[in-house]
Amino acid sequence: MTIGIAASGPRAGLAVFRALAAVERVATGSIGGFAAFAAIDADGELHRAETQRGGTTTLFVDGESTGVTPPDAVARAPWAAVMSSGPERPAPLSQYVPAEPGAGLVTGHRLPNAAGNSGRPVNLEVLDLLRQGLPAKAAVEAVLRGDREADAGIIAIDRNGGVYGCNSERVDRRPDLGHARRESSGVVMEVLHNAIVPAGPIAALAAEVGLAVMAPGPIADAEFLVTASVPVVAGDINRVVLDGNGEAQRVETTDTRILSGRHNCAAIYLHSEVVADGAVIGHTVFEPNVVVEDGLIATLNGRTAMRIGYLSSGRG
């Protein structure tokens, strides 16, 4: 019953949305029903969206259209969280993801909106501590350590973008849990869930999908042309050597098996050096499907000529 996803970093709003959508496509169980979403943008404005049925397919609308991604202001928000499960949960759905600009956001799974030992909902207790300036980890642990039998797992994002999630001792005893955390270059994705199968890989899937939105791989900022009949030769490293016109003069490969006969292969390997005038000017970020015949390129993705993107040295 429920999944909680939180993200801190560029395009966190879109990351959370896509992470939940990925889970909906793969998992079965308590998923695809209600969703309560909140994001705080760079200007400190709180954005909310909610649905009782359909999950991400009905969470945002554009005119008469459903199944759309979040609007730009929401997609680009640097802090976002969502909680989702089966259909028809008690209103207001905002109770599941309390949030306040200048304080932070709180999501989770199980029943974090239920009253804790203090008589206040557990997630609001965490938000109270965030409001006082506590980091996410300190706020979550303070509440859940003090209420070990709370039926809740909590993920909090503090005012500085710190993210932390964990379960109460009671929830940690369950056999159906999923938890994943991913960090890269200052961005964080955290996921907690239960009652969704397959339990093991789902949290990792959501976290990886979201992380790829916020911290995508290298993006090409230049390109070179490769044509049929370019020779493929043995080398001590994978590289493409360009001529004075910026076209591939030869491809060097460490895989000597493809130098004779006919092979369907990755002759221009991912992250190959791109060399011009004897200097490395970048590395490839794309790997075409190549056919090599007797040491010469025959086709690239079925074509006789293709431009290959690379990331210039000193960029990214």
Side-chain angles (χ1 to χ4, degrees):
M1 187 168 67
T2 66
I3 183 170
I5 305 172
S8 175
R11 300 175 299 280
L14 183 60
V16 164
F17 178 85
R18 287 190 174 167
L20 179 57
V23 173
E24 291 169 347
R25 287 193 293 270
V26 175
T28 59
S30 297
I31 194 69
F34 104 93
F37 173 100
I40 298 174
D41 67 25
D43 296 324
E45 182 178 353
L46 175 62
H47 302 264
R48 287 194 176 276
E50 62 183 46
T51 184
Q52 284 283 19
R53 290 177 175 267
T56 58
T57 65
T58 56
L59 187 57
F60 293 96
V61 298
D62 182 8
E64 292 295 309
S65 299
T66 58
V68 299
T69 56
D72 286 346
V74 177
R76 289 185 278 103
W79 305 289
V82 69
M83 183 170 166
S84 184
S85 188
E88 304 300 336
R89 294 301 190 262
L93 295 183
S94 59
Q95 68 181 300
Y96 297 103
V97 187
E100 181 181 308
L105 303 97
V106 183
T107 185
H109 71 142
R110 297 301 302 160
L111 297 165
N113 59 311
N117 287 336
S118 69
R120 283 173 56 72
V122 172
N123 54 14
L124 290 183
E125 290 185 283
V126 174
L127 186 62
D128 286 343
L129 296 178
L130 296 178
R131 191 180 291 116
Q132 295 171 28
L134 265 68
K137 182 176 181 179
V140 172
E141 289 187 342
V143 171
L144 294 185
R145 276 202 308 265
D147 196 348
R148 300 178 188 277
E149 290 303 305
D151 194 2
I154 296 286
I155 310 172
I157 305 176
D158 61 39
R159 64 181 61 174
N160 296 314
V163 181
Y164 181 75
C166 71
N167 294 314
S168 69
E169 287 191 11
R170 179 183 185 185
V171 172
D172 260 340
R173 295 193 294 266
R174 295 178 61 90
D176 61 347
L177 301 177
H179 179 209
R181 179 183 176 92
R182 297 291 186 273
E183 300 179 67
S184 176
S185 303
V187 305
V188 183
M189 286 288 303
E190 189 126 15
V191 182
L192 288 170
H193 72 75
N194 70 98
I196 299 171
V197 293
I202 287 298
L205 169 69
E208 293 286 354
V209 167
L211 188 69
V213 173
M214 296 190 292
I219 299 173
D221 58 11
E223 60 183 16
F224 57 84
L225 179 67
V226 186
T227 58
S229 297
V230 167
V232 181
V233 300
D236 58 358
I237 194 170
N238 296 307
R239 62 168 61 92
V240 181
V241 179
L242 308 184
D243 63 19
N245 297 318
E247 299 181 7
Q249 183 180 54
R250 70 179 182 274
V251 174
E252 298 181 9
T253 179
T254 59
D255 186 1
T256 57
R257 294 169 297 183
I258 68 173
L259 302 182
S260 62
R262 188 177 191 275
H263 301 273
N264 179 195
C265 57
I268 303 173
Y269 216 71
L270 183 68
H271 202 64
S272 290
E273 289 184 350
V274 181
V275 177
D277 295 324
V280 177
I281 62 172
H283 292 82
T284 59
V285 297
F286 173 72
E287 186 178 70
N289 186 290
V290 180
V291 172
V292 175
E293 292 184 352
D294 297 324
L296 300 176
I297 288 179
T299 62
L300 306 96
N301 283 19
R303 291 176 276 174
T304 57
M306 189 174 194
R307 292 195 173 275
I308 306 296
Y310 68 94
L311 181 67
S312 300
S313 296
R315 299 288 300 275

